[in-house]
């Protein structure tokens, strides 16, 4: 069965599960999308890997895995979402070291967080897209794209930032951004970065 290449379309709050996120993958040469429910930590990890401006001061778990793999010359060459059972997606990391290929079982959210860090392609099979793939309407696409532009996750602005934003200078915002990253408060950092972008 042939593999179908996917790309990350966006991440948004899940409308079906509280505290979870919907990671939306879309086929590159088609119109179907594959929504996958993931946890908040994995959503944040994927968003940070996609976002080039925010760098955590200490490595997240997936960053540590990437550093470890680089140190020992292990490369993730691709991720394959190969099975869907009772609404749960199963994935494999295809890894290579010294021209020897190994296949490692992984949760789909972890596999994708690593795929982004390794610039590895993501694939699935036609039967999985047939079972779980959906065609998004235009307005749904716009919502997801908007989420992707605002740090991949639709973070709500904190009241304090919302009220005080107009009074804060760009220099102070940059200072607050650095503080938020140093404190590993990535949600706040994303909000501040968005405000800086609005003013630029």
């Amino acid at each position: 069965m042939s593999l179908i290449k996917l790309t990350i379309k966006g991440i948004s709050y899940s409308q079906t599960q509280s505290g979870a996120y919907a990671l939306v993958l879309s086929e590159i040469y088609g119109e179907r999308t594959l929504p996958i429910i993931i946890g908040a930590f994995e959503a944040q990890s994927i968003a940070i890997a996609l976002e080039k401006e925010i760098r955590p001061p200490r490595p997240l778990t997936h960053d540590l895995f990437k550093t470890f793999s680089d140190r020992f010359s292990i490369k993730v060459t691709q991720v394959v979402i190969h099975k869907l059972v009772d609404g749960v997606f199963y994935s494999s990391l295809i890894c290579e070291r010294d021209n020897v290929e190994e296949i490692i079982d992984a949760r789909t959210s972890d596999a994708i967080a690593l795929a982004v860090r390794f610039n590895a392609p993501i694939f699935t099979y036609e039967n999985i897209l047939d079972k779980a793939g959906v065609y998004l309407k235009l307005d749904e696409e716009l919502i997801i794209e908007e989420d992707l532009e605002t740090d991949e996750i639709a973070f709500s602005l904190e009241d304090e930032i919302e009220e005080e934003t107009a009074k804060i200078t760009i220099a102070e915002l940059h200072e607050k951004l650095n503080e938020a990253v140093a404190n590993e408060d990535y949600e706040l950092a994303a909000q501040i970065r968005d405000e800086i972008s609005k003013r630029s």
Side-chain angles (χ1 to χ4, degrees):
M1 197 178 294
S2 62
L3 290 169
I4 297 169
K5 193 172 182 181
L6 303 171
T7 186
I8 298 172
K9 191 170 185 67
I11 302 174
S12 63
Y13 284 117
S14 169
Q15 295 175 357
T16 56
Q17 290 186 33
S18 176
Y21 292 84
L23 168 67
V24 182
L25 305 174
S26 63
E27 56 179 335
I28 289 180
Y29 304 111
E31 298 175 5
R32 288 173 296 182
T33 59
L34 193 63
I36 300 171
I37 301 302
I38 63 174
F41 171 77
E42 291 78 11
Q44 186 181 62
S45 181
I46 292 167
I48 287 170
L50 289 169
E51 176 55 63
K52 305 304 176 193
E53 289 176 35
I54 296 176
R55 286 279 171 248
R58 303 293 301 142
L60 301 176
T61 304
H62 299 110
D63 297 322
L64 176 62
F65 186 98
K66 172 73 164 66
T67 304
F68 179 89
S69 301
D70 289 345
R71 188 66 55 91
F72 292 96
S73 304
I74 301 164
K75 188 178 179 192
V76 174
T77 58
Q78 62 182 352
V79 164
V80 180
I81 302 167
H82 61 85
K83 191 165 66 170
L84 174 61
V85 179
D86 297 328
V88 177
F89 292 91
Y90 291 77
S91 295
S92 296
L93 296 172
I94 314 299
C95 304
E96 193 178 279
R97 183 180 181 217
D98 298 332
N99 295 320
V100 176
E101 191 176 270
E102 296 285 348
I103 299 172
I104 299 172
D105 183 42
R107 293 188 311 165
T108 299
S109 54
D110 290 329
I112 290 169
L114 291 171
V116 175
R117 286 164 171 80
F118 281 91
N119 292 317
I122 303 163
F123 296 97
T124 193
Y125 292 104
E126 181 71 39
N127 67 324
I128 291 175
L129 272 175
D130 284 342
K131 266 202 260 183
V134 294
Y135 291 90
L136 285 186
K137 295 174 188 170
L138 183 60
D139 57 343
E140 290 173 326
E141 285 185 11
L142 290 173
I143 289 167
I144 289 167
E145 281 167 13
E146 189 178 273
D147 289 337
L148 189 59
E149 286 165 10
T150 56
D151 200 36
E152 327 317 320
I153 298 176
F155 296 119
S156 59
L157 286 173
E158 301 205 359
D159 294 339
E160 183 188 336
I161 295 293
E162 232 171 55
E163 290 168 11
E164 297 296 323
T165 287
K167 303 172 191 173
I168 298 173
T169 66
I170 288 283
E172 287 171 325
L173 283 172
H174 279 288
E175 230 173 84
K176 285 183 178 292
L177 176 62
N178 291 335
E179 279 174 27
V181 172
N183 293 329
E184 300 186 16
D185 188 347
Y186 304 118
E187 291 188 22
L188 182 58
Q191 294 161 11
I192 296 168
R193 189 223 51 219
D194 289 344
E195 180 59 29
I196 291 170
S197 297
K198 274 186 216 165
R199 294 195 193 184
S200 299

